[in-house]
């Protein structure tokens, strides 16, 4: 008998992240509860300082909450050890950042091969996988270039190739169009929608309403709280 698919991909329960600055406390996240099902495309919008990046870092287990629980595929991440968390970050989650975070002295191909290093594949298998993803993303003629030789849009496509090469269930993108002109930004968003059509769950942070409104589900943050969570 097959095991049933149990529960949502992601669940946050009453998450607080409090920074202590001398005498004062900053509630970067002030009681966030949120459930995201497999295959959703969700945008998180809100003004600067509303807690968007903090929320993404906590979801991606790059940072710990002060209190509250995060469940990924039903597993409570606060009960995972460092090794289990590293596997989760490498296999389940793909990250895309505003400033691309590519390694500047590596080629496009090497950057995209990097996350496969920990997956027990041979170099030729890693290369074949990376080339396949880069071809699909329209960068097959840039494999040997370094990031410095790419346009902003090409850099972000490389970063998206790197984030998707491991076939993660969840892509977290923090202001992925923030450094791009609007036309290039729109093509990057189209790419996320294409990736979502293959079943990958996408969570995208933006302060740009037009970009955020391309998502069927939109979450608004203000002062570390969810003020709106709506589906169209
Ligand atoms: N490492 C930190 N130390 C202290 N305060 C922080 C830190 N990181 C973020 N904050 C504060 O937490 C709040 C939320 O920040 P952030 O999540 O980066 O917001 P956003 O991404 O929406 O602009 C802000 O008030 C910010 O100043
Ligand atoms: Mg931010």
């Amino acid at each position: 008998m097959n095991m049933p698919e149990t529960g949502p991909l992601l669940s946050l329960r009453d998450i607080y992240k409090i920074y202590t600055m001398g005498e004062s406390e900053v509630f970067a996240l002030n009681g966030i509860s949120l459930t995201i099902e497999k295959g959703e495309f969700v945008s998180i919008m809100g003004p600067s300082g509303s807690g968007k990046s903090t929320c993404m870092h906590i979801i991606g287990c790059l940072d710990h909450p002060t209190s509250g629980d995060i469940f990924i595929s039903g597993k409570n991440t606060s009960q995972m050890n460092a090794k289990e968390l590293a596997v989760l970050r490498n296999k389940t989650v793909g990250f895309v950042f505003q400033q691309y975070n590519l390694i500047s002295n590596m080629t496009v191909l090497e950057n995209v091969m990097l996350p496969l290093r920990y997956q027990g594949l041979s170099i030729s298998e890693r290369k074949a996988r990376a080339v396949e993803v880069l071809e699909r993303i329209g960068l097959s003629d840039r494999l040997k270039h370094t990031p410095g030789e790419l346009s902003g849009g090409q850099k972000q496509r490389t970063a998206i190739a790197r984030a998707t090469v491991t076939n993660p269930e969840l892509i977290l993108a923090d202001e992925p169009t923030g450094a791009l002109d609007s036309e290039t930004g729109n093509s990057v968003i189209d790419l996320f929608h294409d990736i979502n059509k293959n079943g990958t769950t996408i969570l995208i942070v933006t302060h740009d309403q037009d970009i955020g409104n391309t998502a069927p589900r939109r979450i608004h943050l203000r002062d570390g709280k969810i003020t709106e969570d709506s589906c169209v």
Side-chain angles (χ1 to χ4, degrees):
M1 198 175 89
N2 286 331
M3 291 291 286
E5 279 279 312
T6 49
L9 175 62
L10 175 73
S11 173
L12 305 189
R13 297 214 192 131
D14 214 20
I15 297 288
Y16 285 80
K17 181 71 180 181
I18 304 163
Y19 291 107
T20 308
M21 310 283 285
E23 301 270 283
S24 70
E25 287 185 323
V26 176
F27 283 65
L29 297 177
N30 194 354
I32 298 277
S33 294
L34 172 65
T35 296
I36 293 177
E37 304 291 338
K38 194 167 163 41
E40 280 198 270
F41 191 120
V42 183
S43 65
I44 299 184
M45 291 181 267
S48 179
S50 57
K52 305 183 297 296
S53 293
T54 305
C55 192
M56 291 297 248
H57 292 157
I58 282 177
I59 290 171
C61 304
L62 297 173
D63 199 359
H64 294 289
T66 306
S67 65
D69 289 306
I70 302 139
F71 295 83
I72 297 184
S73 298
K75 283 198 198 124
N76 190 336
T77 60
S78 65
Q79 286 163 8
M80 291 183 183
N81 62 31
K83 196 175 169 203
E84 288 170 315
L85 284 173
V87 170
L88 181 85
R89 279 193 298 267
N90 182 243
K91 285 200 147 175
T92 309
V93 187
F95 294 95
V96 177
F97 304 94
Q98 176 171 349
Q99 293 303 336
Y100 325 118
N101 293 17
L102 298 170
I103 296 177
S104 60
N105 60 357
M106 284 188 173
T107 65
V108 164
L109 181 59
E110 288 165 344
N111 267 282
V112 175
M113 284 169 68
L114 209 52
L116 298 173
R117 191 186 272 184
Y118 314 101
Q119 304 216 338
L121 300 169
S122 69
I123 288 198
S124 60
E125 285 170 317
R126 284 186 248 155
K127 201 166 177 176
R129 285 272 290 280
V131 167
E132 187 192 318
V133 173
L134 282 161
E135 274 173 359
R136 229 184 297 141
I137 239 162
L139 285 172
S140 45
D141 56 349
R142 292 290 183 277
L143 302 181
K144 299 268 166 64
H145 288 61
T146 56
E149 298 165 341
L150 302 176
S151 70
Q154 288 168 338
K155 281 183 212 168
Q156 199 53 300
R157 282 176 180 271
T158 303
I160 293 168
R162 181 185 56 184
T164 53
V165 73
T166 56
N167 286 321
E169 287 189 75
L170 174 64
I171 300 277
L172 300 175
D174 192 352
E175 302 274 6
T177 63
L180 304 174
D181 64 76
S182 65
E183 193 183 329
T184 311
N186 286 336
S187 75
V188 162
I189 293 305
D190 289 345
L191 191 52
F192 281 115
H193 281 282
D194 287 343
I195 294 165
N196 176 247
K197 283 192 193 107
N198 298 326
T200 308
T201 309
I202 311 259
L203 192 53
I204 189 169
V205 157
T206 180
H207 63 262
D208 182 324
Q209 294 272 342
D210 290 338
I211 299 258
N213 287 342
T214 70
R217 180 173 171 197
R218 301 144 195 186
I219 293 171
H220 290 260
L221 283 187
R222 182 171 283 273
D223 299 332
K225 288 187 176 155
I226 295 177
T227 54
E228 194 185 324
D229 183 346
S230 58
C231 288
V232 290

